[in-house]
Each structure stands twice: as structure tokens, then as C-alpha cells.
Amino acid sequence: MLSVVKFISKLRQCILLCMAAALVGCASIPAGVEPSPHDPWEPFNRSVFEFNEGLDAYLLKPVVAGYRFVLPEFVRDGIYNFFSNYGDIYNIFYNLLQGKPGYAFNDFMRVAVNTTMGLGGFIDLATPGGLEKHKEDWGQTFGVWGVPAGPYVVLPFFGPSNVRDTFGTVADLESDYLFKYVKDVGLRNSITGLRVVNARNTYYEAGDLLDGAAIDKYSFMRDAYIQRRQYQINEGRDDEEPQMPVYENPYQ
């Protein structure tokens, strides 16, 4: 047990050192890439993006590969459904704050159906039953309230964001029961780790597709994030839903 604690401590120190090294320097913008008016901090953001990419390649993705090897698909689906159902509880609250009682009632019914007949949320019966999922978070709620997005920013570990959604992420974490209020530290850390692995598993193959494409991955993910967040805030009134970025914050 002590050796495991030491390993985790050394791993954390290594990650912090790597992050500090990445943040000290600023990555250059590739030749031929047009600067975006939404991204005035692009050199800094690219350095954080490169750090996140390295963390994903050398730590998170191998863990997810082992996760997929050890657990059969139906078990992984059950874990995904459980956390999705847990997120729907918060979606009820967010939709009420955004003035969407119809969506809030829909999400309440999703929780009721999946929690009771879906064995605590491990089986998603609501979606095939016609109860559509509405994924919400504090950042989106702030956007509906009229808070401007501010410049695009890449957060260490959390990935694509903007100034408004950065504050939203903090609010998400502070209000998340499984992350903030589970008293057993070991259980809380295990749940958090499982949520991160589950979130990355959802986009396991999508990352490989982007890596093999002849595009600037940073620009693609930035533009997709900005378009998708605007779509979510507008509820799709203006445009068709854009292609989703590879990474999503597991706490949103």
C-alpha cells in the first residue's frame, strides 16, 4: 500500500513538472495557419495543448487501452450509462436555471426511468424510449444568462475552454457531489479516476482519426469547441450541430 502511495506521489510530481515545463514556453503558430480573433493567447494555448496531448498519449490513453482490454463492452456501457444518469440529475437543475422547464421535466423523467427500471442507471432505457438527453453545465448556463465567452483558452488536464467556461468548470467541480462531497478520500479518488477514464473511452477512436488526418489538430479542436458551445447555448436555432471535439470535460 505504501509503495502505491509513493508511486502516485512521484507520478503527480512528474506531471506537475511536465506541466510547468510546458507552460514556461509558448509554442509557435504553424506556418500558413491563420490566427483566430477568438484565440489571442494562441501561443500559450498551444503549449498547454501539447502538454495535454503528451499526458493523453503517455498516461491516459494506455490506461484506457487497459480498461477496454479488461472490461467487456457491456460493462463499459453500464459505467457510461451510470455517470450519464448521474449527470442528468444536474441537467434538471441547469435547465430550470436556463428557463427551460420542458427540458427539465424531460431530464427528470430520464432519471426516474433509468434509476428505477434501468438498475440504478446502468441501463439506458430513456433514450430508446424517446426521452432525449440534454447535456448542460454551469458554463452553458452562464452563456444563456448573457455572460460573454471571452477569449478561448486551453486548460491543463481539462482541455478546450474559454474564460466563461473556465469559471463554469470551477462551479461544476464545486457543486459535484461525487467529486467534492464524498468523505472517503480513496473512494472519491477512485470514482474521479473512473469518470476520467470513462470520458476518454468515449472518444478513444476519434482521437486516432484526427491524428491521422492532414489537419492542424489544435485549430480543428478549437474551432469545433467554439462552434459547439455556441450551438448548445443557442439550442441549435442558428446552425446545424458542428462536429464535436475529441475531448470533453468529464465534469460537465
Side-chain angles (χ1 to χ4, degrees):
M1 181 64 181
L2 183 60
S3 61
V4 174
V5 173
K6 289 183 178 179
F7 171 77
I8 294 176
S9 177
K10 290 182 178 179
L11 179 61
R12 181 173 58 185
Q13 293 175 6
C14 180
I15 291 174
L16 291 175
L17 287 173
C18 291
M19 183 177 70
L23 299 184
V24 167
C26 291
S28 59
I29 301 175
V33 175
E34 292 291 331
S36 169
H38 301 288
D39 191 6
W41 306 325
E42 183 170 350
F44 174 80
N45 284 334
R46 281 185 179 271
S47 67
V48 181
F49 175 78
E50 290 178 0
F51 163 76
N52 288 343
E53 287 287 284
L55 185 67
D56 181 72
Y58 294 106
L59 179 62
L60 188 55
K61 192 171 181 180
V63 171
V64 174
Y67 175 79
R68 293 169 67 89
F69 178 79
V70 172
L71 297 181
E73 185 175 2
F74 78 92
V75 176
R76 301 196 304 268
D77 289 344
I79 293 172
Y80 173 85
N81 291 335
F82 174 82
F83 286 122
S84 178
N85 186 58
Y86 171 74
D88 282 338
I89 299 173
Y90 287 86
N91 290 337
I92 300 170
F93 175 69
Y94 294 134
N95 277 312
L96 288 175
L97 290 178
Q98 294 174 28
K100 298 182 289 189
Y103 281 7
F105 179 75
N106 175 92
D107 293 332
F108 171 79
M109 292 303 300
R110 282 183 58 87
V111 173
V113 169
N114 287 338
T115 302
T116 55
M117 293 184 287
L119 304 179
F122 286 95
I123 301 175
D124 181 8
L125 299 176
T127 301
L131 295 171
E132 183 182 358
K133 183 178 181 68
H134 305 101
K135 188 173 183 181
E136 316 285 340
D137 53 66
W138 271 115
Q140 183 176 337
T141 303
F142 293 155
V144 172
W145 290 352
V147 178
Y152 176 76
V153 60
V154 181
L155 301 177
F157 306 107
F158 292 95
S161 188
N162 54 48
V163 173
R164 179 194 62 217
D165 288 349
T166 297
F167 286 98
T169 296
V170 174
D172 288 330
L173 294 174
E174 288 296 317
S175 60
D176 191 313
Y177 179 83
L178 291 180
F179 178 80
K180 186 73 176 179
Y181 300 105
V182 175
K183 294 183 179 180
D184 188 310
V185 176
L187 176 61
R188 183 173 69 237
N189 291 344
S190 297
I191 293 173
T192 299
L194 182 59
R195 290 175 73 179
V196 172
V197 172
N198 170 70
R200 182 61 180 88
N201 178 64
T202 305
Y203 301 100
Y204 185 77
E205 296 178 352
D208 293 336
L209 292 176
L210 281 184
D211 289 335
I215 60 172
D216 177 25
K217 187 176 179 180
Y218 171 85
S219 298
F220 176 86
M221 293 185 65
R222 176 196 62 203
D223 296 342
Y225 179 85
I226 293 172
Q227 293 174 27
R228 179 171 176 269
R229 290 304 278 174
Q230 191 61 45
Y231 173 90
Q232 289 175 323
I233 292 170
N234 293 337
E235 290 301 329
R237 288 188 295 268
D238 298 331
D239 304 296
E240 295 183 358
E241 184 170 8
Q243 187 169 355
M244 296 173 60
V246 174
Y247 180 81
E248 278 201 348
N249 189 337
Y251 303 105
Q252 293 181 342

